[in-house]
Amino acid sequence: MFARVVRFTDVSDERIAGLKQRVEENDGPPEGVEAKNLRVIVDDSQKTAIAIVFFESEDQMRRADETLGDRK
């Protein structure tokens, strides 16, 4: 199992709600991302979040990084 971990700053309740809505509206991860699981941990007091995306192989993780690397 491999994991891609990303930390976000200036995270608002609205931003988290928007992320949750996008995830729920889609049938799965974006094209090119073969994720098996996603966990988001939010620290409201510091307005930060950590997203942990799990993959079965290092190659899947690297391809996802190429796809997700430029997203904001």
Side-chain angles (χ1 to χ4, degrees), residues 32-48:
V33 178
E34 300 174 69
K36 296 300 173 190
N37 204 339
L38 166 69
R39 295 284 185 241
V40 179
I41 302 166
V42 179
D43 183 338
D44 289 327
S45 68
Q46 293 190 29
K47 302 225 179 275
T48 60

Side-chain angles (χ1 to χ4, degrees), residues 1-67:
M1 182 74 58
F2 293 83
R4 179 179 191 263
V5 180
V6 182
R7 182 175 182 266
F8 298 93
T9 58
D10 297 322
V11 176
S12 65
D13 290 338
E14 294 81 19
R15 188 170 177 189
I16 294 297
L19 171 65
K20 183 178 178 185
Q21 181 179 2
R22 281 193 308 243
V23 168
E24 290 173 350
E25 287 175 351
N26 292 306
D27 290 333
E31 187 174 331
V33 178
E34 300 174 69
K36 296 300 173 190
N37 204 339
L38 166 69
R39 295 284 185 241
V40 179
I41 302 166
V42 179
D43 183 338
D44 289 327
S45 68
Q46 293 190 29
K47 302 225 179 275
T48 60
I50 296 174
I52 307 168
V53 187
F54 296 92
F55 302 91
E56 287 187 3
S57 73
E58 186 175 0
D59 286 338
Q60 289 176 342
M61 182 180 68
R62 290 183 190 280
R63 285 192 300 270
D65 189 54
E66 291 173 7
T67 300

